[in-house]
Amino acid sequence: MPLHEQRHVKFQMAIAFFGRREKICVETYKGIMQKRGIVMSNQKDDLEENDVETKKEGSSGKVADHESDEIEYEKVCFLCRRTESKAGKMVSLPQGIHICMDCMQKSFDAMNDPNLPYKDILGSATANLNLTDPSEMDFSDLTSRLPKIQKIKKKTSKQEQSQEKQANQAKKSSGLDIRSIPAPHKIKASLDEYVIGQEYAKKVISVAVYNHYKRVATGTQDDIEIEKSNMLMIGPTGSGKTYLVKTLAKLLNVPLAIADATSLTEAGYIGDDIESVVSKLLAAAGNDVEKAEHGIIFIDEIDKIAKKKNTNQRDVSGEAVQQGMLKLLEGAEIEVPVGANSKNAMVPLETVNTKNILFICGGAFPGLEEIIKERLNKQASIGFCADLRDKYDSDPNILEKVTLDDIRNFGMIPEFIGRLPIVFTLQGLTKEMLVKILREPKNAILKQYQKLLALDEVKLDFDDEALEAIAERAMEKKTGARALRAIIEEFMLDIMYEIPKDDNIGRVVITREYIEHTGGPVIMMRGTPALEG
């Protein structure tokens, strides 16, 4: 129905409504008007007839001028009882009822209320009504067709609210399409484009994430409930633990929160509460609780909350934090502050269920190699078959031989380890892996600098020997892939400073001599033939 027709129907209904209302209380209204000395407009004709008869009986047969003038009466609003001089111009309705403009506007505003289903009323109730004669409209039939309004009892019990929330989650989780979840080989293929090496770690994390989101998708459809597949990542610094998780969250398009365990303390002490890691995930999800409950939390430097040895004081940042995270890892409903790291009276709280949140913990665990070597050397220490003490000193993959007992001896409590069923290690980076990291990933470091110089219309190349020299220097620093950036920033400083000075430079080649500070880079001007090799 067009807008002008809707307004016309609403106006006719308002007129009919006031007409019906007048039928009910017209007698009372007449009594009030008579007491006030005001004559109704419908009694006007009777008074005029009486005046004419009286005048005809007079001897003169002439009507006086003051009697022939029509008597004018001031209109009164039927709703607010204000006169026309105070309320302004009025709308005249049948049966001598007048409505001021303010009351009429309030009536239209009430009918324009979106909470009232006028479309349903007009479609069903007015089908058999004759709007050409609104005074004959039967409002009893109209009110009988109005929808019944039921009172909704507000649930105040926390148990009922949690049950309702779990039911809604089950409905939404059951509606998730399992086919939309990428298979493990597709997840690993995507990780291969960004992460070099770590084949075993990428395979483990791909399978674990795939099984986790299958668990979220199925929900409680069957009697068999799939448990969470939280992970513990162990690897030397710079091996790509954090970068692997960041790339994974980017590929899956799920909210990711990266927290640092070094600032976590037991509740009541200075520092971040344990629930702050969930509040970071809620902020990453745009304060959407349902989206955050299907996200990933990566807790880095998890080895920093290991139980402190040889201490008589309370371990508020070690074993106490592990005990506080037990329910968090297993799955529980916790109240987290929105937009803050600590709870206070001025910050609103949201209830988040960690049942479907995937937790990935990672740490370098310095000193774990010595614990592993000590365990391996206990087999034999005397005789011709004894193992040498330095047998495992040169083993670059010593962390692959880690067991749960080694982690417990490091300082992690058994209850905490039991909630991280998947434990895997990352290999230390070799020279060949560092060279591949420099050139092969989509966002490799060399590609970034080549892009920067391409904006100045300068081509940047690296010799193979130069890349090997960079990898060798990075191996000496023993900080993994982080050392590559520091080394490249060092020798690229002068090039990035000098190149914009001369517009004639067209190509720069980085050589091994320049990396080892025994020579300089090869610079070619524009218009010269390319260097051979």
Side-chain angles (χ1 to χ4, degrees):
M1 183 183 292
L3 182 61
H4 67 280
E5 293 184 10
Q6 292 181 6
R7 292 179 177 175
H8 177 69
V9 171
K10 292 178 181 179
F11 182 77
Q12 294 294 337
M13 290 178 65
I15 294 175
F17 175 78
F18 290 120
R20 182 66 177 176
R21 185 174 177 180
E22 189 274 337
K23 290 180 181 180
I24 300 173
C25 56
V26 64
E27 297 298 332
T28 305
Y29 180 69
K30 288 181 180 179
I32 295 173
M33 294 295 101
Q34 289 177 0
K35 289 181 181 181
R36 296 186 179 181
I38 301 175
V39 181
M40 297 287 292
S41 60
N42 57 354
Q43 298 174 345
K44 201 174 193 181
D45 298 334
D46 298 338
L47 292 176
E48 290 179 355
E49 291 178 358
N50 295 334
D51 292 340
V52 173
E53 292 178 356
T54 305
K55 292 171 186 176
K56 287 182 180 179
E57 294 177 355
S59 59
S60 62
K62 295 182 181 179
V63 181
D65 295 336
H66 65 278
E67 293 179 351
S68 61
D69 296 337
E70 295 182 355
I71 303 174
E72 295 182 357
Y73 304 98
E74 192 172 8
K75 299 178 181 178
V76 179
C77 180
F78 184 70
L79 297 179
C80 64
R81 314 305 301 170
R82 293 185 300 172
T83 59
E84 191 174 12
S85 60
K86 294 182 179 180
K89 190 176 180 180
M90 297 190 181
V91 178
S92 298
L93 300 177
Q95 304 298 329
I97 295 178
H98 308 287
I99 306 296
C100 65
M101 292 297 181
D102 295 337
C103 295
M104 184 64 73
Q105 185 62 39
K106 291 179 181 179
S107 302
F108 283 121
D109 293 340
M111 288 188 291
N112 290 329
D113 189 358
N115 296 325
L116 296 178
Y118 276 104
K119 292 184 179 180
D120 298 337
I121 296 175
L122 294 177
S124 60
T126 62
N128 298 324
L129 298 179
N130 186 11
L131 297 178
T132 57
D133 193 1
S135 61
E136 297 179 0
M137 182 181 292
D138 189 3
F139 278 86
S140 62
D141 180 57
L142 180 61
T143 55
S144 64
R145 296 173 181 266
L146 290 174
K148 295 181 180 180
I149 301 175
Q150 299 178 354
K151 291 185 178 180
I152 301 175
K153 185 178 179 181
K154 186 177 180 180
K155 296 181 180 180
T156 56
S157 176
K158 291 184 178 180
Q159 184 178 1
E160 293 178 354
Q161 291 179 358
S162 62
Q163 292 176 357
E164 183 181 0
K165 188 175 182 180
Q166 291 177 359
N168 294 333
Q169 289 177 355
K171 291 180 181 178
K172 291 185 179 181
S173 61
S174 61
L176 183 63
D177 188 8
I178 302 179
R179 297 179 180 177
S180 62
I181 304 173
H185 68 279
K186 294 183 179 179
I187 297 177
K188 183 180 179 300
S190 300
L191 292 175
D192 290 338
E193 298 179 358
Y194 296 91
V195 181
I196 301 299
Q198 313 298 351
E199 298 298 325
Y200 179 74
K202 289 187 289 188
K203 185 184 296 184
V204 171
I205 199 171
S206 300
V207 174
V209 170
Y210 179 67
N211 291 336
H212 172 73
Y213 280 100
K214 279 198 299 184
R215 172 182 179 271
V216 174
T218 54
T220 57
Q221 294 179 359
D222 302 329
D223 296 334
I224 301 175
E225 185 177 356
I226 306 173
E227 295 184 357
K228 294 177 65 175
S229 55
N230 296 328
M231 290 174 277
L232 175 62
M233 241 191 303
I234 302 175
T237 178
S239 59
K241 298 184 296 295
T242 307
Y243 186 70
L244 188 64
V245 177
K246 284 184 178 180
T247 307
L248 180 67
K250 187 187 302 182
L251 296 175
L252 296 177
N253 193 20
V254 295
L256 169 69
I258 299 178
D260 193 356
T262 54
S263 61
L264 299 179
T265 59
E266 189 180 2
Y269 291 84
I270 297 176
D272 292 340
D273 294 335
I274 299 172
E275 292 84 359
S276 64
V277 297
V278 185
S279 65
K280 291 181 180 179
L281 179 64
L282 186 62
N287 294 330
D288 187 354
V289 178
E290 297 174 359
K291 187 177 180 181
E293 289 178 348
H294 297 160
I296 300 174
I297 294 180
F298 176 63
I299 305 177
D300 202 2
E301 307 295 341
I302 198 66
D303 53 300
K304 302 304 185 291
I305 62 173
K307 184 167 53 177
K308 305 298 185 296
K309 299 179 180 179
N310 300 327
T311 177
N312 296 326
Q313 298 178 354
R314 186 167 184 176
D315 195 3
V316 297
S317 62
E319 183 180 358
V321 178
Q322 296 184 47
Q323 294 175 353
M325 292 181 64
L326 297 180
K327 279 295 181 183
L328 197 69
L329 296 174
E330 186 175 4
E333 291 187 355
I334 59 175
E335 292 184 350
V336 297
V338 180
N341 292 333
S342 60
K343 298 179 181 178
N344 56 72
M346 303 301 294
V347 178
L349 299 177
E350 286 285 352
T351 302
V352 180
N353 192 350
T354 62
K355 181 180 180 181
N356 293 327
I357 297 177
L358 180 63
F359 286 88
I360 303 176
C361 300
F365 288 85
L368 185 61
E369 297 90 343
E370 302 299 329
I371 298 175
I372 298 173
K373 292 176 185 178
E374 183 180 356
R375 175 177 56 84
L376 295 176
N377 288 327
K378 284 183 179 179
Q379 296 177 358
S381 59
I382 301 175
F384 293 101
C385 296
D387 291 334
L388 299 177
R389 290 291 181 181
D390 58 350
K391 177 180 178 180
Y392 300 100
D393 290 346
S394 60
D395 189 356
N397 299 322
I398 186 66
L399 288 177
E400 294 181 359
K401 300 177 176 63
V402 67
T403 61
L404 296 182
D405 292 335
D406 299 332
I407 301 175
R408 182 174 56 83
N409 294 331
F410 184 82
M412 312 304 289
I413 61 177
E415 300 93 318
F416 185 82
I417 301 173
R419 285 165 172 80
L420 299 171
I422 301 176
V423 180
F424 60 96
T425 60
L426 277 73
Q427 299 176 354
L429 299 180
T430 61
K431 177 181 175 181
E432 292 76 13
M433 294 174 64
L434 290 175
V435 173
K436 291 181 179 180
I437 291 173
L438 286 172
R439 60 168 61 164
E440 291 185 5
K442 282 189 175 181
N443 55 347
I445 305 175
L446 300 186
K447 294 180 181 179
Q448 298 178 21
Y449 277 94
Q450 288 174 350
K451 179 67 175 178
L452 289 174
L453 288 179
L455 298 176
D456 294 331
E457 297 181 356
V458 178
K459 186 178 180 181
L460 178 64
D461 293 328
F462 290 83
D463 287 344
D464 294 338
E465 295 182 356
L467 298 180
E468 293 180 358
I470 296 173
E472 291 172 359
R473 292 187 59 183
M475 293 288 293
E476 296 174 358
K477 293 181 178 293
K478 296 182 180 181
T479 57
R482 292 187 177 93
L484 297 175
R485 185 83 185 188
I487 295 171
I488 294 179
E489 288 283 353
E490 179 183 353
F491 69 78
M492 287 295 295
L493 176 63
D494 293 335
I495 295 177
M496 300 298 293
Y497 182 80
E498 298 293 339
I499 290 298
K501 290 183 179 180
D502 192 351
D503 295 336
N504 295 322
I505 298 176
R507 184 183 179 188
V508 178
V509 180
I510 306 299
T511 60
R512 186 184 185 94
E513 292 76 15
Y514 180 61
I515 301 298
E516 295 176 348
H517 301 288
T518 58
V522 178
I523 298 177
M524 294 186 61
M525 298 299 177
R526 302 181 188 275
T528 58
L531 289 176
E532 296 182 359

